[in-house]
Amino acid sequence: MLNKLKEIPLCTWIKVSLNAGSPGSYAKIHQTDIGDWDKVWDGIRNAVKRRGKCTIGVQCVVLPENYMEMANLAFLAREAGVDYFVMKPYSQGTFSIVQREINYQEMEDELEAVRQFSTPTFQVVYRKNAVKQESETHHYDKCRATPFFWVYSMANGDVFTCSAHLLDMRFCIGNLNAQSFQEIWEGEKRRETWQMMKSFDIKQCRKNCRMNQSNIYLDELAHGIPHMNFV
């Protein structure tokens, strides 16, 4: 389909998750055929040719199995013509079947060195703060972001207020097949979730969730601490 388009329509950005820097690692980590590596890069190059005003990036979850390949992945992304490359930590889900403890300090020198691939038209982003936060406890006593700042819509239409608690029906505030989004957002189930979060034990939550930085700011605001941007 993409090959038939002169330009990617109605899209401001695309970010491709590509968690390896070689065909072998890609097949192992993504649990797919080794030949899919070339298909992915063909797709990325085709997207670059037709991007129009669309920003295109590649991101990688850094793992012990792939961190030595990050320089090669950055090089390939730059040569393909994408706009940026992001290295991010593995975020451990509290209820995930897979539980991993990863020491990113052992990888720091290698990951910092990948920044050298940045150019005026290609940016390498190493999410060092996110890496640090994966090993820290929460800086706040409660989640003030849920159910206010974001939602997830599932394939069946269910709307959840937190990614760390998908399929936990306490966080489901409605279904788009039965209600409009406005009805869901202004509805009773969302109010019930708000009440629940006032006493919800965040030890049940992952350490570095999407709302972590928002919660740090909201906690400072709640305790009267001037935010650095406003000082």
Side-chain angles (χ1 to χ4, degrees):
M1 179 64 181
L2 184 60
N3 290 330
K4 298 179 181 179
L5 296 174
K6 293 182 179 180
E7 186 174 306
I8 300 173
L10 303 176
C11 190
T12 57
W13 62 272
I14 295 173
K15 182 160 45 176
V16 180
S17 292
L18 207 161
N19 301 321
S22 69
S25 293
Y26 181 80
K28 183 177 180 180
I29 293 170
H30 286 268
Q31 299 183 34
T32 188
D33 294 330
I34 197 167
D36 289 338
W37 170 261
D38 291 330
K39 294 178 183 178
V40 169
W41 284 106
D42 286 344
I44 291 172
R45 285 187 284 267
N46 280 329
V48 168
K49 290 177 183 178
R50 296 162 173 81
R51 70 172 133 204
K53 297 180 180 179
C54 180
T55 300
I56 298 176
V58 169
Q59 77 168 16
C60 181
V61 175
V62 179
L63 301 167
E65 305 95 291
N66 67 18
Y67 83 98
M68 292 298 292
E69 300 177 347
M70 291 302 97
N72 188 55
L73 184 53
F75 173 78
L76 292 172
R78 188 179 68 182
E79 292 299 296
V82 305
D83 299 292
Y84 64 89
F85 168 58
V86 177
M87 295 176 289
K88 58 183 289 187
Y90 171 80
S91 183
Q92 179 63 61
T94 307
F95 306 106
S96 175
I97 295 174
V98 177
Q99 296 287 324
R100 301 191 63 172
E101 291 187 8
I102 299 176
N103 185 354
Y104 282 101
Q105 288 185 338
E106 298 175 350
M107 312 176 196
E108 187 169 352
D109 290 344
E110 187 73 24
L111 300 179
E112 286 282 5
V114 181
R115 294 180 190 264
Q116 67 181 311
F117 287 92
S118 291
T119 70
T121 58
F122 175 74
Q123 183 181 13
V124 174
V125 179
Y126 169 35
R127 292 187 176 168
K128 193 170 182 178
N129 286 338
V131 169
K132 180 181 177 182
Q133 288 162 7
E134 280 297 326
S135 61
E136 294 180 344
T137 57
H138 292 112
H139 297 278
Y140 38 86
D141 60 347
K142 64 179 64 177
C143 176
R144 293 178 171 86
T146 302
F148 299 106
F149 286 88
W150 71 337
V151 293
Y152 274 83
S153 176
M154 307 295 282
N156 68 351
D158 282 343
V159 176
F160 287 84
T161 57
C162 178
S163 65
H165 298 279
L166 295 178
L167 303 185
D168 183 337
M169 296 310 291
R170 293 176 298 172
F171 292 84
C172 181
I173 59 174
N175 187 288
L176 291 169
N177 294 316
Q179 301 164 280
S180 69
F181 182 77
Q182 182 174 353
E183 289 172 334
I184 293 172
W185 193 246
E186 297 175 354
E188 179 64 19
K189 286 187 177 181
R190 180 166 173 261
R191 189 194 66 79
E192 291 173 359
T193 303
W194 169 56
Q195 291 291 345
M196 178 184 70
M197 294 309 296
K198 291 180 179 181
S199 58
F200 189 79
D201 183 5
I202 60 172
K203 291 180 181 178
Q204 302 176 50
C205 302
R206 65 173 62 195
K207 293 178 181 178
N208 187 26
C209 76
R210 292 277 188 176
M211 290 291 103
N212 186 49
Q213 288 297 318
S214 297
N215 271 312
I216 291 173
Y217 165 70
L218 292 170
D219 184 67
E220 292 175 350
L221 194 65
H223 289 88
I225 302 173
H227 190 268
M228 66 177 67
N229 289 348
F230 307 143
V231 174

